[in-house]
Amino acid sequence: MNYEEILDKLEEGELRSADKTENGWKANVEVKKAILESFKNGENTSYEGIYEGFVDKHNLPPRYFEPEDGVRLVPGGSSVRRGAYVAPGVIIMPPAYVNVGAYVDEGSMVDSHALVGSCAQIGKNVHLSAGVQIGGVLEPVGMNPVIIEDDCFVGAGVVIVEGILVRSKAVIAPGVVLSKSIPVYDAVKEEIRERGSEIPEGAVVIPGSRPVNSDWAKKQGLSMDCPIIVKYRDEGSNASLELEEALR
């Protein structure tokens, strides 16, 4: 398939930038190569209509939706790029951006000032709160993108980058930063998770800090940010995170 055919299949949800296999999630190298090829073959052009005054690659225009698509794209500066899949029942609040190769599954919400980066995979019934930044991962082509599985809640201002996997039903509290350079401290299991490890299913993660291990830093009272798992979801936390159906 050429890159145009692959972009079409991405938009239809027939292809994904990463697939869940028996051995875990695996990046779709063919898809990521096709996206890179589209950039290489694209020429800058100006757009008309509601996107008048903007310039981007001619072969990666913003997507348009019709009521029958079942997507609610609220006016106010949001955009979904060509090659991104947005399932029926998704709500996108302004301004927000969904980049090429991304996949946003049924019933999810992308709130104001949120970014779903290139190739990021967002599961069913996920809430990306205001200001959430889900990083894009196009290169290296064999590297997994950021993946947020079903029924997760991602609080305001959270940053998740560098191919971090967040398992289903996890809760990421406002202000948490997850990347491959930051270890996660599990206060429930009393362990330090390896850098870049997945966030376990149902984990509740809050922003914390840890001391800097040098004599000088200790004298200055310096500390570094780190995510801390403080509990795993129970009925109480589930009730507090229910999405208001009236908003849909």
Side-chain angles (χ1 to χ4, degrees):
M1 290 186 291
N2 61 39
Y3 75 81
E4 289 284 3
E5 293 173 315
I6 287 177
L7 290 175
D8 288 339
K9 289 186 178 296
L10 284 170
E11 288 186 9
E12 294 162 3
E14 295 181 11
L15 276 178
R16 298 180 66 161
S17 302
D19 300 296
K20 194 172 186 178
T21 71
E22 293 181 355
N23 299 316
W25 285 90
K26 184 177 180 181
N28 190 326
V29 173
E30 181 185 10
V31 165
K32 295 178 80 174
K33 284 182 176 179
I35 294 172
L36 291 170
E37 185 181 355
S38 72
F39 287 133
K40 182 179 178 180
N41 287 275
E43 297 179 1
N44 284 345
T45 187
S46 58
Y47 288 100
E48 299 179 354
I50 62 173
Y51 296 108
E52 185 175 359
F54 290 92
V55 175
D56 195 8
K57 300 291 187 180
H58 78 284
N59 52 359
L60 292 168
R63 291 193 58 191
Y64 287 83
F65 294 93
E66 300 293 342
E68 53 267 27
D69 294 321
V71 174
R72 184 145 71 94
L73 180 62
V74 180
S78 297
S79 182
V80 176
R81 205 176 194 185
R82 168 134 168 81
Y85 174 74
V86 181
V90 169
I91 298 172
I92 302 174
M93 298 299 291
Y97 189 67
V98 181
N99 208 346
V100 59
Y103 187 103
V104 184
D105 214 337
E106 298 173 357
S108 290
M109 174 176 279
V110 181
D111 213 333
S112 302
H113 297 280
L115 165 69
V116 180
S118 54
C119 300
Q121 305 291 294
I122 309 299
K124 292 180 172 66
N125 304 313
V126 171
H127 189 118
L128 301 181
S129 301
V132 165
Q133 303 293 292
I134 304 297
V137 180
L138 266 177
E139 295 183 285
V141 292
M143 180 178 173
N144 279 351
V146 175
I147 298 166
I148 313 295
E149 292 188 339
D150 298 346
D151 302 307
C152 288
F153 184 92
V154 184
V158 167
V159 177
I160 305 177
V161 295
E162 297 176 348
I164 292 294
L165 167 60
V166 179
R167 290 291 187 184
S168 62
K169 299 181 181 179
V171 177
I172 313 300
V176 169
V177 176
L178 298 174
S179 77
K180 289 191 173 180
S181 63
I182 305 174
V184 176
Y185 290 73
D186 191 331
V188 179
K189 298 180 180 179
E190 298 183 351
E191 63 181 20
I192 303 174
R193 299 182 62 80
E194 185 178 346
R195 296 174 193 266
S197 295
E198 65 186 46
I199 299 300
E201 180 175 342
V204 178
V205 187
I206 68 167
S209 63
R210 59 189 175 112
V212 180
N213 290 324
S214 76
D215 291 338
W216 183 87
K218 288 177 181 177
K219 289 178 181 178
Q220 306 307 314
L222 300 180
S223 61
M224 296 185 291
D225 292 342
C226 70
I228 303 174
I229 298 174
V230 292
K231 64 181 291 186
Y232 286 80
R233 279 176 73 164
D234 53 24
E235 292 183 4
S237 55
N238 288 340
S240 67
L241 292 168
E242 287 181 356
L243 296 180
E244 176 56 62
E245 287 301 317
L247 294 174
R248 301 178 175 276

